[in-house]
Amino acid sequence: MIDWGKRGKVNKKKTRGKNEVQRGLASNLFINSINKFTTDKNLNFFLKLIPIILVLIFYFFYPKPVGLEQAGWTAIAIFLITIYVWATELVHLSVAALITIFLLLLTGAVTPLTALYGFGSTSFFLIFIGFMVAIGMEAAGLDERIANEILKYCHTERSVILGIMIITAMLSMIMSNTTTVIMMIPIIRHMIAKTDMNKIAIFLSIAFSANVGGVGFLIGTPPNLLAANALGLGFTDWLVFGFPFMLIMLLLLYISFLIYFKPKHKIEKVTLDHLGFWSSKEKFAAVVVGLTVLLWLTSSWHGLSTLTVGLIGGLLMALFIYDWKFFTKKADWGVLIILAGAISIGKALEVTGAAQWMAERFLEMTGFESIWLIAFSFAILGLVITQFIQNTATAGIMIPVLVGISATLGVSAEKLVLPLTMAVSMTFMMPPGTAPNLLVYTETGISTKEFFKAGLLPTILGIVVVLFFCLIIGG
């Protein structure tokens, strides 16, 4: 409002003052808005989108590389976006996996069947079945009893970590490392509740030792089976390579945990429950778990597949231990979605020829002629890729490529395939790489940054072991 003086004239001095105040308020409001935007999550989110925008610009405006089909070029672009979103946690990993599948469907880079391949894979159903068995242990109370028994004999955090690593690695050699971790998680939950131990250290110990333990025996993890099938190796043939590698790596893994986590010498808080006699449910659950493991170990005798045996155990638990509502409440559905996305993008890279193209360009780029250097370089490439897509998918993509490259070079395929197979199981830095990593990631809520930091030293040690392995078999 204009301020008028006594004689009806404009009071310019007062008006000028009010205008200055209004301009000052507007300026402050603008500055506050800018400050709010720059400190708000919106700006951080926008800045994180810039690499994705750059990938899209490069994809749409850069000429398609020679020797690569359009579908392969598209698959690589989607793969790069997936890697970035998973690494930065721009959205939850489960949502990122669904976005990956959506992009594969939207672009038509692959058929809908291939885009949804992860949901029908063996690994997907193996985790689902593992949930059925493990949740039965939890519903019966068997997990708590096992946790009590471990704590009776382990009185320091170091001894607990070592004991858990040994138990997990041994189980992972004779059964799927995924199923091993699913069965161990409820046991660890009770151990954490009864003590003041480092939750992240204990849970990561089961994920990492399961990855390592899976290398020991042929049946420990799917990449082993893929390699053995391509090379014509039997159980004892694999044992010669896999078991020594596993023992060395397990020892180094334990040392890396002592360095990074610095576990306590003594557990200060231990609460052991007096559980009394075994209940009928506990006894039944123990029999089901024992029977399932026994059937897995003797699969070569009776001929039943891993999935069939797992379903026997899972259905017995579902029929006699818990109801379906309890199962749906306890199962971690996010793990299944992330795994499906990781497998689907891996399959897309394979069927579009993108994986073959990347491997060939990588070999040209290195310029290596020594076999052990070629083997080591491909092992490192596989280790890097498998941080972001499931290690089974990485092995499935690269093993046939390496068999072809070895034939071209005139060398034994074992010299290239075996180091790669060992390397893809040394996945410690990112959750999507292996199912054990994913399970622990969703259980603990650890950030990808913390996951990376905890897995960096084990990864470096794993690279050193793989290097010596390459020198031994390829030198």
Side-chain angles (χ1 to χ4, degrees), residues 46-198:
F46 176 77
L47 291 175
K48 287 181 178 179
L49 287 178
I50 292 176
I52 296 177
I53 295 171
L54 293 176
V55 169
L56 292 175
I57 292 173
F58 193 76
Y59 168 73
F60 283 112
F61 296 102
Y62 188 81
K64 177 177 64 65
V66 177
L68 184 65
E69 298 295 330
Q70 184 61 40
W73 186 228
T74 304
I76 290 175
I78 296 173
F79 176 54
L80 292 175
I81 292 172
T82 302
I83 286 176
Y84 177 74
V85 175
W86 270 338
T88 59
E89 289 186 290
L90 193 61
V91 294
H92 190 275
L93 266 64
S94 301
V95 178
L98 291 174
I99 291 173
T100 299
I101 294 170
F102 167 73
L103 290 175
L104 289 173
L105 291 167
L106 179 68
T107 58
V110 294
T111 64
L113 190 63
T114 302
L116 300 172
Y117 178 81
F119 290 100
S121 65
T122 300
S123 297
F124 182 91
F125 280 97
L126 190 61
I127 289 187
F128 183 82
I129 291 166
F131 281 146
M132 294 179 73
V133 175
I135 289 171
M137 291 174 56
E138 184 177 356
L142 182 61
D143 54 343
E144 186 173 6
R145 188 174 291 277
I146 295 173
N148 264 20
E149 291 301 315
I150 293 174
L151 290 174
K152 280 183 182 178
Y153 300 100
C154 297
H155 305 293
T156 66
E157 198 169 25
R158 289 185 175 190
S159 63
V160 170
I161 291 175
L162 180 60
I164 287 172
M165 283 186 172
I166 293 172
I167 292 170
T168 305
M170 288 177 62
L171 289 173
S172 293
M173 287 192 295
I174 61 176
M175 55 193 278
S176 163
N177 56 6
T178 302
T179 308
T180 299
V181 172
I182 291 174
M183 293 174 65
M184 289 295 292
I185 282 176
I187 296 172
I188 301 304
R189 281 197 204 115
H190 284 287
M191 293 178 65
I192 296 297
K194 298 170 188 291
T195 67
D196 60 347
M197 292 187 294
N198 186 327

Side-chain angles (χ1 to χ4, degrees), residues 372-395:
W372 75 266
L373 273 175
I374 294 173
F376 181 63
S377 63
F378 272 106
I380 298 303
L381 177 64
L383 188 147
V384 171
I385 291 175
T386 204
Q387 302 296 328
F388 305 99
I389 66 174
Q390 227 264 337
N391 66 340
T392 302
T394 306

Side-chain angles (χ1 to χ4, degrees), residues 193-211:
K194 298 170 188 291
T195 67
D196 60 347
M197 292 187 294
N198 186 327
K199 175 183 175 181
I200 300 299
I202 301 300
F203 272 107
L204 286 179
S205 71
I206 61 171
F208 293 175
S209 58
N211 293 339

Side-chain angles (χ1 to χ4, degrees), residues 200-308:
I200 300 299
I202 301 300
F203 272 107
L204 286 179
S205 71
I206 61 171
F208 293 175
S209 58
N211 293 339
V212 172
V215 174
F217 282 4
L218 179 60
I219 59 175
T221 185
N224 299 0
L225 297 170
L226 292 172
N229 182 64
L231 301 174
L233 300 179
F235 187 89
T236 53
D237 298 320
W238 183 269
L239 201 62
V240 174
F241 299 105
F243 192 71
F245 184 96
M246 184 274 297
L247 287 178
I248 295 169
M249 195 60 222
L250 190 63
L251 174 61
L252 293 176
L253 180 66
Y254 176 64
I255 293 172
S256 73
F257 268 59
L258 296 183
I259 295 171
Y260 183 78
F261 288 107
K262 299 178 176 60
K264 301 173 184 175
H265 292 287
K266 187 177 180 182
I267 302 172
E268 297 174 3
K269 173 195 167 188
V270 181
T271 306
L272 296 180
D273 298 327
H274 300 287
L275 300 176
F277 295 106
W278 286 56
S279 67
S280 57
K281 276 193 172 184
E282 282 181 290
K283 292 177 182 177
F284 183 82
V287 170
V288 170
V289 172
L291 175 65
T292 304
V293 172
L294 180 63
L295 290 175
W296 269 326
L297 286 172
T298 57
S299 58
S300 59
W301 299 346
H302 52 67
L304 296 176
S305 69
T306 302
L307 289 178
T308 304

